[in-house]
Amino acid sequence: MPDPGQPDQELLRRARAGDEEALGVLYQRHYAAIYRFARHMSGDAALAEEAAQEVFLALLRRRDGYDPERGAVAGYLFGIARHWLSRRWRQDARWAPLNEEVAAAPPGAVGGAEDPERRETVAAVRRAIAALPEHYRAVVVLCEIEERSYEEVAQAMGCPVGTVRSRLHRARALLARKLEPARPSQPAAPAAPASVLTARCEA
Amino acid sequence: MSRRPDDDQAAWAVLRQERERQDRLDSALADLRAEAEHWTPSARPPERLLAACRQRRNLRTWRHGAWWAAAAAAASLAALAWLGPRVLPPTHGVAATVVPAVKAPAAPAPAQVMEATLSQPSSGMFLPLGGPLPADGFVVRVNLPESDLASLGIAAAPGAGPVPAEVLMDQDGVPRGIRFLQ
């Protein structure tokens, strides 16, 4: 039985050698996060389940795909998931449609909240995220929802940390604008100065 | 040039508005995060993943066996090359006699490989074994028992017996490809 505190790298080595228990520990450690990421990205529970399983299959099959020098196993797994989803969307010729099931989340599903206004806000933010371009959506999901470090996200996205920061900044601005409550009687608010937005990004 | 109080107030209003907007977004994202906590996928890997893991183990065992078989074959070949051409000097007017080739003691072949000999490759394509096929290498002919065919994803009729196959080894002696001769 592998030690639950064993590093991912060692578990990965053992799983690739055919150790089912090591695979089980890796699965328990990362599967839920990969599933959530895929579901936030696609808005489709079944597709997310398939994506997460494919990630682990790829993990077993790729001989030398993971390089510990480049970051943690988690970032590597998110990267596989992102590529798999992109490929799947290209094959299906669809771009992250918002699933009916997701749009109609069951009452009380929002963190146990019964407040209809809050549910509506969550549904709106989910729609807004689904409408973002893929590279912005992935950054928002990983940084803001999965609360991953910039380094992990950079590894998953295959880009520098600075690019992750700028994409997150831009994505947040887009989301905030989409979530702006409609105020037909008031004049449009002036755009925030660039210095303010930059300050948020650096925070 | 001094700033007017109206300018300051307008700047503060913009800042406040932006702060409110960001707070609203943070709150919505936190709600979304909380909702995702309720998504609970199965705690145990599905059978499909476990089967892939088992397949890795079987393939590894088979590769290990094939490597030892190749090593044994190479040792036998080297022994033949060393001892084969040697002849005894003629004695009592009798023509030279060829000493029978003595096989060097070879490493025991694993159970998976019943026979291993170096041979010229027959025609046909090799199936890659988890990597690119080498441009040059050597071929080992083996008889694979039925039990090992399943690990390669091939269904064999029960009682069919061992299947002759050729294993393509690279220069390091690692099996890179296989093809079945039957």
Side-chain angles (χ1 to χ4, degrees):
Chain A
M1 181 74 187
D3 174 16
Q6 214 164 29
D8 283 348
Q9 203 180 328
E10 175 61 16
L11 289 171
L12 181 57
R13 190 192 61 74
R14 291 177 57 177
R16 278 179 173 161
D19 185 338
E20 291 176 41
E21 287 179 342
L23 175 68
V25 176
L26 262 183
Y27 180 92
Q28 282 182 347
R29 210 175 272 182
H30 297 290
Y31 186 83
I34 301 297
Y35 170 81
R36 284 196 304 266
F37 169 70
R39 188 159 165 183
H40 281 303
M41 288 292 287
S42 66
D44 184 332
L47 184 64
E49 185 92 27
E50 191 183 345
Q53 287 188 22
E54 288 294 333
V55 166
F56 278 87
L57 278 177
L59 190 68
L60 288 176
R61 286 173 184 161
R62 289 188 187 185
R63 269 184 96 178
D64 301 315
Y66 172 64
D67 178 7
E69 298 287 319
R70 294 180 61 187
V73 170
Y76 174 65
L77 294 177
F78 283 123
I80 299 177
R82 195 176 70 83
H83 282 295
W84 188 89
L85 285 169
S86 297
R87 206 164 48 241
R88 179 63 180 266
W89 287 326
R90 274 199 304 275
Q91 283 169 1
D92 293 356
R94 66 184 186 197
W95 193 256
L98 184 65
N99 195 305
E100 295 291 325
E101 171 209 339
V102 176
V110 183
E114 300 292 337
D115 182 2
E117 190 183 340
R118 206 167 156 202
R119 276 210 305 275
E120 178 49 40
T121 309
V122 170
V125 79
R126 198 186 292 117
R127 276 195 298 271
I129 289 173
L132 287 174
E134 189 265 342
H135 55 285
Y136 287 151
R137 196 179 340 143
V139 168
V140 166
V141 170
L142 289 174
C143 289
E144 298 288 359
I145 301 177
E146 285 300 315
E147 298 181 302
R148 297 286 164 171
S149 69
Y150 287 142
E151 286 75 19
E152 270 182 306
V153 180
Q155 187 194 1
M157 302 293 293
C159 65
V161 169
T163 307
V164 171
R165 285 174 181 270
S166 62
R167 282 183 186 174
L168 180 61
H169 169 220
R170 178 77 184 131
R172 279 189 65 100
L174 287 170
L175 283 178
R177 203 171 303 153
K178 284 175 190 288
L179 291 176
E180 189 76 3
R183 293 175 191 165
S185 57
Q186 292 182 1
S195 58
V196 173
L197 295 176
T198 311
R200 173 63 188 83
C201 179
E202 295 300 324
Chain B
M1 189 175 158
S2 62
R3 286 172 63 88
R4 291 181 305 168
D6 286 354
D7 289 344
D8 287 344
Q9 278 186 356
W12 275 115
V14 169
L15 278 172
R16 200 168 45 244
Q17 212 166 37
E18 181 57 27
R19 188 67 260 164
E20 282 170 6
R21 194 190 278 188
Q22 295 294 341
D23 286 347
R24 205 162 37 243
L25 176 60
D26 283 337
S27 167
L29 287 169
D31 283 345
L32 200 55
R33 199 160 42 236
E35 184 201 62
E37 293 297 321
H38 293 258
W39 298 342
T40 48
S42 55
R44 192 179 146 68
E47 187 50 38
R48 183 181 170 213
L49 272 180
L50 294 174
C53 193
R54 276 194 295 272
Q55 194 178 359
R56 295 278 307 181
R57 188 172 54 225
N58 292 341
L59 192 60
R60 195 181 162 89
T61 308
W62 184 85
R63 277 182 184 166
H64 196 243
W67 191 92
W68 276 109
S76 300
L77 200 69
L80 282 171
W82 176 251
L83 296 172
R86 289 192 171 189
V87 292
L88 288 176
T91 55
H92 307 295
V94 180
T97 310
V98 177
V99 176
V102 178
K103 247 187 175 177
Q112 287 84 354
V113 180
M114 296 177 69
E115 173 194 321
T117 54
L118 284 178
S119 66
Q120 290 298 314
S122 59
S123 60
M125 296 291 290
F126 281 95
L127 298 171
L129 292 172
L133 292 172
D136 55 353
F138 59 96
V139 170
V140 178
R141 190 165 288 178
V142 297
N143 280 333
L144 282 178
E146 292 169 53
S147 55
D148 280 355
L149 294 177
S151 68
L152 292 168
I154 296 167
V163 176
E166 284 181 343
V167 180
L168 177 62
M169 321 290 282
D170 65 13
Q171 294 299 333
D172 297 331
V174 179
R176 294 295 185 186
I178 188 169
R179 71 175 159 218
F180 296 98
L181 303 176
Q182 172 180 309

